[in-house]
Amino acid sequence: MKSLLYSFFLITIISFGVFPKAYAQNVYIPDPIFKSVLVADLGININADTNIQETEAIAYTGNLFLGEFGISDLTGIEAFVNLTGLECGANFLTTLNLSANTALQTLTCSMNSLTSLDLSTNVNLYYISCGNNMLTSLDVSNNVALQSLYCELNSLTNLDLSNNPALLDIYCPNNQLTSLDFSSNPLLTFVGCADNLLTCVDISNNPNVTSVFCNNNLLNSLNLKNGNNTNFTGLNALNNPLLTCAQVDNVSYANTNWWGFVDVSVNFSLDCGQPIAAFNANDPVCFGSPVSFTDASTLTTNWFWDFGNGFSSTSQNPNYVYPAGGNYQVILQASSCYGGDTASAWIVQGQDVFGSASYTGGPVTNGWALLYPFQPFYIAFDTVQIQPLDASGNFHFTNVADGNYLVQVFPNEVSFPSLTPSYFDNDWAWDSALVINHGCINATNAIDITMTEIIPTAPGIGLLEGLVVEGPGFGRAQGDPVHGVVVKRGITGSSQIVETTVTDLGGQFSFSNVGFGTYTIYVDIPGLLRDSSYEVTVDAANNQFLDLNYLVDSMAVYVLPNIGLEDLMDESAGLKVFPNPVEDQSTIEYILASNAKVDLSISNVFGVQVQSIVNGYQLAGNYNYQFNSKNSPLKSGVYFVTLSIDDKQITQSILVIE
């Protein structure tokens, strides 16, 4: 029974055509004439219905001939994405957008009323005929394959051909063009530019040109000297009343063959007046002030200035503000229809700062001088320049912009172990050094530094160690070690420095064999206030100070806040972390003398816990945990391992190096 019912329904569906037809989307074509032409073309309308389907439009790869049909709207043309040729001249079109027709190679759309023509994506287009329209602009910059351009009888005021290296023919009469540049069209053979507002026609860079029609312009220059004059087949330069000289390959040939194709006032010459480039500049000027360039060229109509740093101008007399100090070679390319010339000069921006470094033993012949900008508010200074000391202890900073500066000399610690880095004038601290007021016109000299000499104390058993790490706003991740920072040990209550060192890559510093006495540990970073410094007294009972840690931010250098460094535990419960610094694998080890509640964690320099290792009750015994920094969320920097047992805790600093 079920089988009979199924057969009945199947017969019914087949009989009444209930099965749907394959669905196809129609192309929207609002212009009835355009649509009728397409529907009538069975090469396009394959199924011979009353619409054009998208599949039919996509499949069409030939040319469309739509000329002289009275079409006013080509909406729908965008569906013909594989169209290679379009002829739609002598219609009533006002706009034409062919950006979807990227396969298009030839276009004829002349004799319409076009005010807009979009060819921005048609890179395969090699033939364009758009004459006798109402175009005021025409962009062919993306038509890199273009060979022939016919755009006569429009209202074009500008035509840029610089991206059309394959161009062979240009025909653009009866427009309002004031200039045409053919220097980027080496294959050009035909130039038709009559009835414009041109003042110059120059084909000297186009050796294949054999026809030039430039009559009825405002020419005052005409350069036909392209090495191919004897092969010319067409020339008309009549009705250019301002033209007096035409530059040619051969005067005799031109007089014999071209008389009558130019006005009687025009003489032929091998040289109608070559430009001579020259200019003046008002440098040096203060940093931030414009350098004024004054053209002094002769017989020049075009200028191109290269300011020596990647920037340029086409103004005749430009002003330019250099963004940085330096010596810049400025090049002027002066040109006209009759040729070109160049001139150059060096422009100085920023004057030099120089001086020398010495001590009681003579010049400091090995080391470095650093130049810092000084500002009235306290921020971290950047280094402007670093220069080596020469064999006489001299240093020389070049092209320094006007402003206030600090100069610091770093002696080579091996060659000069008794010297500490010093500022001008003769001071080891940046905030008491002399500030240089550097002028923008004259070089600043006599920046002579007498180095601060270390007066060592008697050696002893003391050990002073610590870290310098980054805080907020210093420029990198908080807690990162700061290397290369000068750390000085001075006698408290005096200006005497007894030892100097520099933090290593891990931000660590160390003073060993320290004698008894009271010392201040200074971290000297130009521009950062010393908000606080450690003062320690080394004696027989207290001689190991291992956590003299400092934090630096964008304002000051601080003593690192105490986050639990006190040793409150039984000696039997000592905390060990090894190796330290931690590059990948490390071991955390401790001993419990009795059963206790244990918390083992890792915190950053601000006391924020970043990893919990143990949190619970443990029996007495020895414990160790493998700590792999590669598998942890910790970046390079200083951290603290804290072991808490009941109400007691001990903390050990570690340095993680990625």
Side-chain angles (χ1 to χ4, degrees):
M1 184 65 181
K2 289 183 178 179
S3 177
L4 290 173
L5 287 174
Y6 176 77
S7 299
F8 173 77
F9 282 118
L10 182 62
I11 293 170
T12 301
I13 290 171
I14 295 173
S15 300
F16 290 94
V18 177
F19 279 133
K21 294 181 179 180
Y23 178 77
Q25 182 69 42
N26 294 330
V27 178
Y28 175 63
I29 308 172
D31 188 293
I33 300 176
F34 179 29
K35 184 176 181 179
S36 66
V37 173
L38 294 177
V39 169
D41 189 339
L42 297 182
I44 299 173
N45 187 16
I46 303 299
N47 61 8
D49 63 0
T50 58
N51 289 293
I52 301 298
Q53 283 74 52
E54 288 184 350
T55 53
E56 293 174 324
I58 293 172
Y60 190 74
T61 59
N63 299 328
L64 271 180
F65 299 96
L66 306 172
E68 300 185 61
F69 279 105
I71 300 171
S72 57
D73 187 354
L74 278 185
T75 298
I77 195 69
E78 64 275 3
F80 291 79
V81 293
N82 294 308
L83 185 70
T84 58
L86 175 62
E87 199 284 304
C88 58
N91 281 291
F92 302 112
L93 302 174
T94 57
T95 63
L96 183 57
N97 186 338
L98 299 173
S99 58
N101 309 97
T102 55
L104 197 64
Q105 298 177 6
T106 63
L107 169 65
T108 298
C109 57
S110 54
M111 299 179 66
N112 278 280
S113 299
L114 291 176
T115 59
S116 174
L117 177 60
D118 187 348
L119 305 174
S120 57
T121 63
N122 306 103
V123 296
N124 297 308
L125 201 59
Y126 67 84
Y127 177 89
I128 300 173
S129 177
C130 59
N132 206 343
N133 277 287
M134 301 172 66
L135 296 172
T136 58
S137 64
L138 179 62
D139 185 357
V140 293
S141 59
N142 292 323
N143 310 125
V144 293
L146 186 62
Q147 297 180 15
S148 299
L149 175 59
Y150 298 88
C151 54
E152 73 281 3
L153 290 165
N154 278 284
S155 299
L156 302 177
T157 58
N158 179 64
L159 188 58
D160 185 355
L161 304 174
S162 59
N163 285 340
N164 310 111
L167 190 65
L168 300 175
D169 308 314
I170 173 67
Y171 186 66
C172 56
N174 296 98
N175 278 282
Q176 299 176 35
L177 299 171
T178 58
S179 65
L180 278 174
D181 184 354
F182 304 127
S183 60
S184 300
N185 316 114
L187 304 181
L188 195 65
T189 61
F190 176 88
V191 175
C193 56
D195 296 284
N196 276 284
L197 304 174
L198 300 174
T199 59
C200 161
V201 170
D202 179 8
I203 62 161
S204 60
N205 294 309
N206 311 99
N208 298 314
V209 169
T210 56
S211 296
V212 175
F213 298 93
C214 56
N215 48 298
N216 301 316
N217 274 281
L218 302 176
L219 295 185
N220 54 40
S221 304
L222 176 61
N223 191 348
L224 302 173
K225 191 176 182 178
N226 70 338
N228 198 30
N229 288 174
T230 56
N231 293 316
F232 263 53
T233 57
L235 173 65
N236 187 346
L238 290 168
N239 198 20
N240 284 284
L242 301 179
L243 186 64
T244 59
C245 183
Q247 194 159 287
V248 297
D249 292 340
N250 185 292
V251 174
S252 297
Y253 178 87
N255 282 328
T256 302
N257 296 279
W258 290 349
W259 193 258
F261 299 115
V262 297
D263 295 324
V264 294
S265 58
V266 176
N267 294 315
F268 296 113
S269 174
L270 298 178
D271 184 358
C272 287
Q274 295 293 315
I276 300 176
F279 67 91
N280 301 307
N282 68 329
D283 75 308
V285 297
C286 296
F287 186 73
S289 298
V291 178
S292 296
F293 296 95
T294 303
D295 172 52
S297 305
T298 58
L299 302 175
T300 300
T301 56
N302 303 295
W303 300 264
F304 181 84
W305 300 84
D306 179 349
F307 295 125
N309 63 347
F311 290 88
S312 61
S313 173
T314 56
S315 299
Q316 182 177 1
N317 298 298
N319 293 324
Y320 183 70
V321 177
Y322 282 92
N327 291 333
Y328 301 96
Q329 186 179 26
V330 175
I331 299 175
L332 168 62
Q333 298 177 1
S335 62
S336 72
C337 258
Y338 299 127
D341 189 30
T342 61
S344 65
W346 287 92
I347 303 299
V348 176
Q349 282 291 279
Q351 298 299 310
D352 295 354
V353 173
F354 50 89
S356 63
S358 62
Y359 72 119
T360 56
V364 182
T365 58
N366 193 356
W368 297 86
L370 280 69
L371 183 69
Y372 307 98
F374 178 85
Q375 300 180 15
F377 46 91
Y378 298 111
I379 62 172
F381 291 151
D382 293 324
T383 303
V384 177
Q385 288 188 43
I386 300 176
Q387 297 292 343
L389 301 175
D390 66 16
S392 299
N394 298 318
F395 57 84
H396 199 142
F397 303 111
T398 58
N399 299 111
V400 179
D402 53 304
N404 296 323
Y405 296 91
L406 291 172
V407 177
Q408 184 183 29
V409 168
F410 278 78
N412 181 280
E413 59 183 10
V414 176
S415 303
F416 300 95
S418 66
L419 303 181
T420 189
S422 302
Y423 297 89
F424 177 76
D425 178 38
N426 319 329
D427 205 305
W428 61 265
W430 77 267
D431 47 2
S432 57
L434 289 183
V435 177
I436 301 167
N437 189 330
H438 175 58
C440 56
I441 302 300
N442 299 314
T444 302
N445 53 20
I447 308 301
D448 299 329
I449 299 176
T450 302
M451 305 295 295
T452 299
E453 300 187 39
I454 295 173
I455 304 176
T457 58
I461 60 172
L463 177 62
L464 312 179
E465 291 184 343
L467 296 165
V468 179
V469 298
E470 298 207 19
F474 195 72
R476 292 183 297 170
Q478 298 182 31
D480 278 359
V482 184
H483 69 275
V485 172
V486 176
V487 183
K488 299 181 173 75
R489 177 167 66 96
I491 297 177
T492 301
S494 75
S495 60
Q496 181 180 336
I497 300 298
V498 296
E499 191 174 4
T500 299
T501 188
V502 177
T503 56
D504 62 18
L505 290 176
Q508 297 177 310
F509 67 88
S510 177
F511 298 106
S512 59
N513 302 318
V514 176
F516 294 164
T518 300
Y519 305 101
T520 301
I521 308 302
Y522 303 102
V523 174
D524 182 41
I525 302 177
L528 299 188
L529 285 174
R530 282 185 294 278
D531 183 75
S532 54
S533 297
Y534 285 103
E535 293 184 4
V536 297
T537 299
V538 178
D539 55 29
N542 299 285
N543 49 62
Q544 305 289 301
F545 298 88
L546 307 182
D547 292 295
L548 304 176
N549 302 322
Y550 286 88
L551 181 75
V552 298
D553 63 16
S554 62
M555 297 292 292
V557 180
Y558 309 93
V559 170
L560 190 64
N562 188 338
I563 63 169
L565 299 178
E566 66 272 16
D567 184 0
L568 300 176
M569 300 189 63
D570 231 331
E571 290 185 2
S572 62
L575 174 66
K576 296 181 181 179
V577 182
F578 55 91
N580 188 13
V582 181
E583 293 191 30
D584 42 47
Q585 194 77 20
S586 189
T587 300
I588 302 174
E589 183 179 281
Y590 60 91
I591 303 171
L592 286 183
S594 59
N595 301 343
K597 183 180 183 305
V598 176
D599 184 272
L600 179 64
S601 63
I602 300 176
S603 303
N604 63 22
V605 294
F606 303 104
V608 178
Q609 186 181 99
V610 295
Q611 188 170 346
S612 177
I613 300 174
V614 176
N615 185 8
Y617 191 82
Q618 288 186 327
L619 301 176
N622 296 340
Y623 291 87
N624 65 75
Y625 295 91
Q626 299 300 311
F627 168 64
N628 192 321
S629 64
K630 301 295 185 184
N631 298 329
S632 72
L634 306 184
K635 297 182 178 180
S636 294
V638 177
Y639 297 88
F640 296 93
V641 178
T642 300
L643 174 64
S644 297
I645 301 175
D646 292 331
D647 60 346
K648 300 177 181 180
Q649 71 176 21
I650 185 172
T651 298
Q652 172 69 52
S653 62
I654 62 172
L655 174 66
V656 174
I657 302 175
E658 288 184 320

